[in-house]
Amino acid sequence: MAETTATTLAAVEFHGATLVTTLVDGVPHVALKTVCEAIGLNWDGQRQRLARDPVLSSVAVMTTATGGDGKTYEMTSLPLKLLNGWLFGVDANRVAPEVRDRLIEYQRECYDVLADYWQKGSATNPRGAAASLMIGQSTGLPTTQLVALQAQGWKIIDRLKAETVRELRADLYQQLVRIYSDMAMTAPPLDAIGQEAPDAAAEVVEFWTVFKALERLGHPVNHSRNPELVALKLDQVATLAQQEGLDVAPAKTLKRLLRASRSPRFVDVKSINSAHAGVTVHCWVFRAQEGGAA
């Protein structure tokens, strides 16, 4: 794959999605990752497909462009004229459900076009020449701003792929929806970007319910000096719970399940200086909110 630098940008529409193209030697190129995200395709899989294709890989280039935030972004790009052919070869079963029927209709039309070209000598787009290029009006935003928005969208999608906490995923997705809305695009569905953690085990839910009850009763069970963290001695929690007539799972079970706790999120098992006892105690540490250390 060739490497080049493109500083001239242009915004075009392709099948209803706004794309930022870069001009390489005067030829419009489009960043494929942008298209993949717009239709719910896995970018890593398409990057591998691109490398295997002798035609597409021979013309793909790595372009760099400066976004509105002043940062430089590197993108795998194809000449815009080959984008229709690339889309024709996409497995419709791998795209987002809301665009699947539209893609199948497009691919069916491609078969007709190829048949007309080779059997009749020409093919005509009934929607006209402008429609055949699929280039329409831009969003009205400066193209450098579009580049910056797309880069922000990619970063959020990468974070969503790694994040498993339901509440945090919801917050990130709302940010993504706003960015896509600014680009006059529809964000891929949340369930197509990573996975949230399964619901906590009943024993974990029970444990945190007991912890909150002990705190309300005035028991100093949280040994952390950092208000953003929770540091607990499991044997102490079990003893106090028994005194108050509350039930928690056996220590062996809790030690297995609490490592998967997401809210509060498990951090580590380590020795800390107790905020109550004034000595070093061995605790299970959890992050009640982002930031801080025990």
Side-chain angles (χ1 to χ4, degrees):
M1 183 183 300
E3 293 190 9
T4 186
T5 299
T7 55
T8 304
L9 307 173
V12 302
E13 286 195 3
F14 184 89
H15 291 267
T18 301
L19 306 177
V20 174
T21 65
T22 57
L23 296 181
V24 179
D25 296 329
V27 177
H29 283 63
V30 64
L32 280 184
K33 184 174 182 179
T34 306
V35 186
C36 289
E37 302 291 8
I39 63 177
L41 271 177
N42 178 275
W43 165 236
D44 288 335
Q46 290 304 309
R47 181 166 49 192
Q48 295 172 24
R49 174 193 162 205
L50 179 68
R52 293 192 302 266
D53 191 300
V55 176
L56 298 180
S57 62
S58 68
V59 294
V61 296
M62 189 66 71
T63 60
T64 58
T66 302
D69 56 1
K71 296 181 180 179
T72 299
Y73 299 98
E74 193 173 64
M75 304 170 285
T76 300
S77 301
L78 272 183
L80 183 60
K81 69 177 183 179
L82 294 185
L83 193 57
N84 288 91
W86 169 82
L87 193 60
F88 180 42
V90 167
D91 184 349
N93 292 318
R94 296 180 181 273
V95 304
E98 62 268 22
V99 300
R100 186 171 299 141
D101 290 344
R102 192 173 170 193
L103 177 60
I104 292 173
E105 180 182 355
Y106 164 79
Q107 291 176 336
R108 184 177 290 113
E109 185 173 344
C110 284
Y111 282 112
D112 292 337
V113 168
L114 286 171
D116 287 347
Y117 179 86
W118 289 108
Q119 296 174 18
K120 300 179 182 179
S122 65
T124 303
N125 188 333
R127 292 178 294 278
S132 68
L133 291 174
M134 306 302 284
I135 298 177
Q137 299 297 316
S138 71
T139 62
L141 293 174
T143 52
T144 52
Q145 187 175 346
L146 281 172
V147 171
L149 285 170
Q150 287 180 340
Q152 292 174 34
W154 297 340
K155 290 178 180 179
I156 292 176
I157 286 173
D158 287 340
R159 290 178 62 188
L160 277 169
K161 290 177 180 177
E163 184 57 68
T164 58
V165 178
R166 180 178 302 169
E167 293 78 10
L168 296 180
R169 284 175 55 80
D171 289 343
L172 286 170
Y173 187 67
Q174 288 304 312
Q175 296 177 41
L176 186 67
V177 168
R178 288 194 292 270
I179 289 173
Y180 270 68
S181 176
D182 288 344
M183 295 189 296
M185 296 170 63
T186 301
L190 177 58
D191 58 10
I193 314 172
Q195 289 184 317
E196 68 181 41
D199 291 337
E203 293 87 346
V204 174
V205 174
E206 178 186 61
F207 176 83
W208 289 116
T209 300
V210 169
F211 161 69
K212 292 176 182 177
L214 292 176
E215 281 204 317
R216 286 195 298 270
L217 291 169
H219 293 292
V221 288
N222 182 6
H223 293 271
S224 176
R225 295 178 180 275
N226 187 326
E228 295 179 346
L229 296 176
V230 177
L232 304 173
K233 292 185 72 210
L234 297 189
D235 57 346
Q236 180 191 25
V237 172
T239 299
L240 292 172
Q242 186 177 29
Q243 292 176 4
E244 297 291 351
L246 303 172
D247 294 322
V248 293
K252 184 177 180 180
T253 300
L254 287 175
K255 288 179 179 179
R256 175 173 56 86
L257 296 177
L258 283 174
R259 292 182 182 275
S261 178
R262 298 291 181 182
S263 182
R265 182 193 291 269
F266 172 73
V267 175
D268 199 1
V269 179
K270 62 181 181 179
S271 296
I272 67 168
N273 185 263
S274 171
H276 305 299
V279 296
T280 299
V281 292
H282 195 64
C283 290
W284 283 62
V285 181
F286 304 85
R287 190 180 303 282
Q289 58 187 6
E290 295 302 318

